[in-house]
Amino acid sequence: MQLVHMLPLLRRTSTSLFPSILSSLTPPSSSPLPISLSKFIIMETHNSGRLVVLAQQLRLYKPPPTSDDDEEEQRMEESAEKVVAQVGFAESATSVAQVRPAERFRPKRAAVLICLFEGDNGEFRVILTKRSSQLSTHSGEVSLPGGKAEETDANDAETATREAKEEIGLDPSLVNVITCLEPFLSKHLLRVIPVIGILSNKKDFNPSPNAAEVEVVFDAPLEMFLKDENRRCEERVWMGDKYLIHYFDYEINDKKYVIWGLTAGILIRAASIVYQKPPAFIEQNPKFKVPSAVPKDTTLP
């Protein structure tokens, strides 16, 4: 796009947002996908600028280092230590038994899309799904769009947006991928990477759920995952360590949902980062050990 076509837009842009917007044109090197200029202009045209400011804020977020970094992975292999995670909780370094690197359990990769948009009242909302009751795993549960990585995926962002298109018909071109959070470990021992993206114009998205995978597409206010309302929790134990699983009761369009486990844990973390404050309840995020060898069909409690 030529600069002359941008001038009317730049003149309309608030001077208070102008430095933020300019800086947002150049995402940091850690950004999972470059944000195109055309997508930026679409975002600024369709909303008041709150999403633009949020995008700039999120690009400054740097998740804790994980074993994805080559140097860290090499160091971990030499010392037989592993950066691990637990359902709904962030990864943390912890010691494991000394074993040869080739024998250590390595979770398969997956990614989910935390797709945020601005609601009618200016609040940030997130797109969720209720999984098909016919699925073999997590049937009937509320989840974020996403799934396992494929060899052809360039990165986690591509995995998340590809799966979102397959599951709910969300065109990847409508989503501005901003950043990735630290990995989580799912119940079935998948290494799940949450990818945060922004949908600048919700009206452009017409959900078309894949009936084989998704029963319902709905949305919820992100801030609810910081509040102690309609929430309960259960204490569980994994390899001798206690932790909490959170459950959020939610109702929209006369339908009731329970958002819990991994999905709740990821959204608690995302809300804490977006709103820059901790939740009004105890998360109880213990450090977990990952066994060096995992029997088939092992799941977290």
Side-chain angles (χ1 to χ4, degrees):
M1 178 175 290
Q2 296 180 355
L3 180 60
V4 64
H5 294 150
M6 293 178 56
L7 292 179
L9 170 65
L10 297 179
R11 292 192 187 100
R12 291 195 301 271
T13 302
S14 165
T15 55
S16 63
L17 291 176
F18 191 73
S20 299
I21 293 171
L22 284 182
S23 63
S24 72
L25 286 173
T26 307
S29 57
S30 60
S31 177
L33 280 180
I35 308 303
S36 70
L37 182 58
S38 59
K39 284 188 178 182
F40 163 77
I41 293 176
I42 292 172
M43 178 185 289
E44 178 59 18
T45 301
H46 283 304
N47 60 69
S48 63
R50 294 187 70 240
L51 292 177
V52 176
V53 175
L54 175 62
Q56 185 210 16
Q57 170 193 320
L58 291 176
R59 288 194 188 101
L60 298 177
Y61 174 74
K62 294 183 179 180
T66 71
S67 58
D68 282 344
D69 297 327
D70 292 339
E71 293 184 4
E72 184 70 7
E73 178 67 18
Q74 182 178 358
R75 186 184 69 80
M76 290 293 183
E77 290 182 354
E78 291 173 353
S79 63
E81 293 180 349
K82 182 71 177 176
V83 172
V84 301
Q86 173 59 25
V87 57
F89 303 115
E91 291 195 331
S92 53
T94 168
S95 177
V96 297
Q98 293 290 327
V99 295
R100 289 179 296 176
E103 297 177 347
R104 291 185 8 230
F105 169 69
R106 296 176 181 274
K108 294 182 180 180
R109 293 183 72 91
V112 294
L113 180 64
I114 305 173
C115 187
L116 303 177
F117 66 94
E118 191 170 0
D120 293 338
N121 296 320
E123 78 281 15
F124 295 126
R125 303 184 69 86
V126 59
I127 295 175
L128 294 165
T129 72
K130 181 180 178 182
R131 291 168 59 86
S132 169
S133 58
Q134 305 302 315
L135 291 172
S136 59
T137 59
H138 304 289
S139 59
E141 295 182 4
V142 172
S143 68
L144 292 157
K148 295 179 182 178
E150 296 184 354
E151 292 184 0
T152 55
D153 293 338
N155 48 37
D156 298 312
E158 185 169 322
T159 298
T161 54
R162 174 185 54 76
E163 286 285 338
K165 182 177 182 180
E166 293 176 3
E167 291 181 4
I168 63 175
L170 178 57
D171 190 333
S173 68
L174 298 177
V175 180
N176 289 290
V177 172
I178 304 299
T179 192
C180 293
L181 305 186
E182 56 269 36
F184 292 74
L185 198 67
S186 76
K187 179 179 180 179
H188 294 279
L189 307 185
L190 287 173
R191 182 181 172 88
V192 180
I193 312 296
V195 176
I196 297 184
I198 289 178
L199 178 63
S200 60
N201 188 10
K202 177 63 163 56
K203 294 180 180 179
D204 288 340
F205 171 47
N206 295 312
S208 55
N210 179 347
E213 299 186 56
V214 175
E215 288 185 5
V216 182
V217 179
F218 65 100
D219 56 76
L222 183 65
E223 195 173 13
M224 69 173 276
F225 298 100
L226 296 179
K227 299 178 180 179
D228 201 16
E229 303 170 4
N230 304 313
R231 185 196 69 90
R232 63 189 188 280
C233 63
E234 292 181 359
E235 186 176 84
R236 302 284 179 89
V237 177
W238 170 249
M239 295 183 67
D241 289 305
K242 295 180 179 180
Y243 66 97
L244 294 178
I245 289 185
H246 300 275
Y247 297 76
F248 293 86
D249 295 314
Y250 179 62
E251 183 173 353
I252 184 173
N253 298 330
D254 298 323
K255 294 183 179 180
K256 297 181 179 180
Y257 303 95
V258 179
I259 305 166
W260 68 286
L262 175 65
T263 299
I266 289 174
L267 291 174
I268 291 171
R269 182 60 47 78
S272 299
I273 294 169
V274 167
Y275 289 98
Q276 299 184 324
K277 62 180 181 181
F281 49 84
I282 298 175
E283 291 184 77
Q284 192 169 335
N285 295 355
K287 295 180 179 180
F288 287 93
K289 299 175 183 178
V290 161
S292 58
V294 177
K296 185 179 180 181
D297 299 327
T298 297
T299 61
L300 301 182

